[in-house]
């Protein structure tokens, strides 16, 4: 499978939103305009294509030297297990090789990250209403 990585463009957002909906990421779907603005403002925003078709994306934030935080990594369910997620992660990390890559994972994605040499670490989350 020939996977092509390119920068995010505003026209990609409808496909990203559809993938978020398929993953039941309701917070991102319900806050569609905020999510769209987040993609526009992110220092890391790339999509993956196979044969010109959108198959996945990655969004994150970085200072370029110490921290590279992955906010979202989504791969179309039909393309999982074919190297798309791994290629997106590696592509971004190669852009910022000095930075450590950090992210949050769900129970269902935990084994994917562990199989790609990520190690667990402890973290916290809070929203303004809490």
């Amino acid at each position: 499978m020939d996977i092509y990585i390119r920068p995010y463009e505003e026209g990609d957002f409808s496909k990203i939103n559809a993938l978020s909906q398929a993953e039941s990421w309701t917070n991102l779907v319900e806050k569609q305009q905020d999510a769209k603005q987040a993609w526009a403002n992110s220092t890391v925003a790339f999509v993956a294509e196979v044969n010109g078709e959108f198959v996945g994306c990655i969004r994150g934030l970085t200072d370029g030297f110490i921290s590279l935080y992955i906010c979202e990594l989504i791969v179309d369910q039909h393309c999982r297990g074919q190297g798309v997620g791994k290629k997106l992660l590696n592509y971004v990390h190669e852009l910022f090789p000095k930075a450590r890559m950090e992210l949050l994972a769900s129970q269902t994605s935990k084994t994917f990250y562990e199989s790609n040499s990520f190690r667990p670490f402890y973290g916290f989350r809070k929203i303004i209403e809490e």
Side-chain angles (χ1 to χ4, degrees):
M1 174 184 285
D2 194 23
I3 304 165
Y4 174 67
I5 309 291
R6 65 167 175 78
Y8 163 80
E9 299 170 357
E10 187 177 347
D12 298 318
F13 186 76
S14 63
K15 296 171 192 144
I16 292 168
N17 195 53
L19 282 182
S20 296
Q21 195 164 19
E23 288 299 310
S24 298
W25 291 0
T26 54
N27 186 46
L28 295 177
V29 174
E30 290 171 2
K31 296 179 179 179
Q32 187 174 2
Q33 288 306 313
D34 290 345
K36 188 174 185 178
Q37 195 63 42
W39 274 90
N41 291 340
S42 294
T43 52
V44 173
F46 296 93
V47 301
E49 294 180 337
V50 173
N51 298 323
E53 295 294 319
F54 181 96
V55 296
C57 56
I58 191 167
R59 183 179 78 80
L61 305 167
T62 187
D63 55 31
F65 294 92
I66 302 296
S67 298
L68 168 56
Y69 182 77
I70 302 303
C71 303
E72 296 159 35
L73 172 65
I74 316 171
V75 175
D76 185 286
Q77 290 182 1
H78 299 99
C79 296
R80 291 184 184 166
Q82 299 178 39
V84 176
K86 182 175 186 169
K87 184 153 186 177
L88 282 163
L89 287 168
N90 289 342
Y91 180 86
V92 169
H93 211 183
E94 287 172 9
L95 292 175
F96 307 101
K98 291 184 174 185
R100 66 177 179 250
M101 189 181 294
E102 299 174 326
L103 52 88
L104 296 175
S106 66
Q107 270 310 113
T108 55
S109 63
K110 180 181 177 229
T111 55
F112 166 77
Y113 293 111
E114 289 174 339
S115 71
N116 283 283
S117 302
F118 284 81
R119 62 185 184 281
F121 71 100
Y122 187 72
F124 293 94
R125 176 181 280 169
K126 181 182 183 300
I127 60 173
I128 195 72
E129 291 86 12
E130 296 174 327

